[in-house]
Amino acid sequence: EACAIVTSAAMINFLSLAVPLAILMIYDRIIPNKSLPTLAVLIAGIAVVIGIDLVLRLTRLSLESRLTARLDHLARTRHVEALLSRKNPSRISMSLDDLLRSLSQSSPGLARKMLFIKNVADIPFAFAFLGMIGLIAGKLVLLPIGICLVFGIWAILLGMSHRKAIRTLRTNSAQKQDFVDRVFDSLAQIKILAVEIPLLNRLSRLYERQAFWFRNQKQYSMTIGNVYGLFSQIMIGGVVVAGSCAVLDGDLSHGGLAAFTLLAGRALEPMRSVY
């Protein structure tokens, strides 16, 4: 499944390179020469490419689901085998919560494996898109390169803050769980200590602190999507303005402007996977 995911991602990126080149031919060669039969063939080809792209994306999504399920199954099997391979398993207590906690700790590793597989296919094409822009638009490629660099720096800063929020959230969760385990270890103590206002205030503050960092962690998770949308609009707007000036000066054709716009919008996408 991993090889199939990389292959499908590579094919999707190849198709993303092919569509702007077809549009470049339509603007610069087909329309000026009024070659209607060739235009019909190219339009049909673009429609086929879009259909193949849709099939590949659905296939990759299905393969990612299968691979995630397989990795999760292997993780569960590994933890259960480690439990059963102990010399005296009956003397060592391991509750279902402990097993689920071990599995949840391995979930980030599974997610990193999936992202690594996708980045293997996506990252090289980020340079391919920029290289194609350089061939078509010349020095105008500096504009998308600069925007990608600014987005990358911003994403790194967000990632560092996101990681800090996750670590603090885990620390607060552990403190809360330790506090509950030490105090509420029996139903009798719950009844006795429930009337103690300072105790309840302490537990309330722990919950409030956990809720605060949980909100921060979720905020960082959602911020990168909004930042990506903002930079996508900046990329398209900057490319349109710079490309239009180049067309008016005679340095770029109309087809080159169209291809430049499509390629620039696509060049930013792999960086979101890197984040």
Side-chain angles (χ1 to χ4, degrees):
E1 286 90 351
C3 294
I5 290 173
V6 173
T7 302
S8 61
M11 292 298 298
I12 290 171
N13 287 315
F14 274 122
L15 294 177
S16 298
L17 283 171
V19 172
L21 295 179
I23 293 176
L24 174 64
M25 293 180 60
I26 290 175
Y27 273 89
D28 289 348
R29 298 184 180 181
I30 306 302
I31 294 179
N33 297 325
K34 299 181 180 180
S35 303
L36 295 181
T38 308
L39 177 61
V41 172
L42 280 177
I43 292 177
I46 292 175
V48 172
V49 167
I50 293 175
I52 296 175
D53 180 79
L54 176 61
V55 172
L56 286 173
R57 290 181 184 275
L58 294 177
T59 302
R60 184 176 64 175
L61 180 61
S62 175
L63 291 172
E64 288 176 1
S65 301
R66 290 181 57 182
L67 184 58
T68 302
R70 175 171 295 186
L71 292 176
D72 183 68
H73 171 70
L74 292 176
R76 291 174 183 272
T77 303
R78 185 168 60 252
H79 286 299
V80 173
E81 286 179 348
L83 174 63
L84 297 178
S85 62
R86 293 175 177 175
K87 293 183 179 180
N88 298 306
S90 60
R91 297 181 182 178
I92 303 176
S93 62
M94 184 176 184
S95 64
L96 180 60
D97 292 338
D98 295 332
L99 179 59
L100 294 178
R101 191 178 300 112
S102 300
L103 293 174
S104 64
Q105 290 175 354
S106 63
S107 296
L110 303 181
R112 282 195 296 270
K113 288 181 181 179
M114 290 299 303
L115 285 175
F116 177 78
I117 292 171
K118 294 171 68 175
N119 285 331
V120 165
D122 283 341
I123 292 176
F125 282 93
F127 297 99
F129 287 120
L130 294 175
M132 188 65 67
I133 292 173
L135 292 176
I136 294 174
K139 62 182 180 181
L140 291 178
V141 71
L142 296 176
L143 176 62
I145 289 177
I147 293 176
C148 287
L149 287 177
V150 174
F151 175 78
I153 294 173
W154 200 339
I156 290 173
L157 296 177
L158 282 175
M160 295 171 61
S161 301
H162 191 181
R163 180 181 297 178
K164 179 181 178 181
I166 291 176
R167 285 200 301 261
T168 308
L169 177 63
R170 290 175 179 171
T171 301
N172 289 335
S173 298
Q175 291 176 353
K176 184 199 69 176
Q177 188 62 43
D178 179 67
F179 179 76
V180 171
D181 291 341
R182 285 187 290 106
V183 176
F184 300 113
D185 57 349
S186 68
L187 184 60
Q189 287 190 358
I190 293 177
K191 294 179 179 178
I192 295 173
L193 298 176
V195 297
E196 298 291 338
I197 300 301
L199 182 64
L200 295 180
N201 289 339
R202 170 63 176 164
L203 183 59
S204 176
R205 286 195 299 270
L206 287 173
Y207 273 105
E208 289 176 358
R209 190 184 307 169
Q210 183 185 12
F212 172 77
W213 285 105
F214 179 75
R215 186 198 67 183
N216 281 2
Q217 188 264 335
K218 290 301 179 183
Q219 182 177 356
Y220 284 121
S221 298
M222 293 183 292
T223 298
I224 189 62
N226 297 326
V227 171
Y228 173 77
L230 171 65
F231 272 84
S232 297
Q233 298 299 319
I234 293 175
M235 175 77 81
I236 298 300
V239 165
V240 169
V241 173
S244 299
C245 294
V247 170
L248 294 176
D249 293 338
D251 297 330
L252 188 66
S253 64
H254 291 84
L257 175 59
F260 181 26
T261 305
L262 290 175
L263 289 170
R266 184 66 176 81
L268 194 63
E269 186 173 341
M271 301 194 67
R272 181 172 54 176
S273 299
V274 175
Y275 170 82

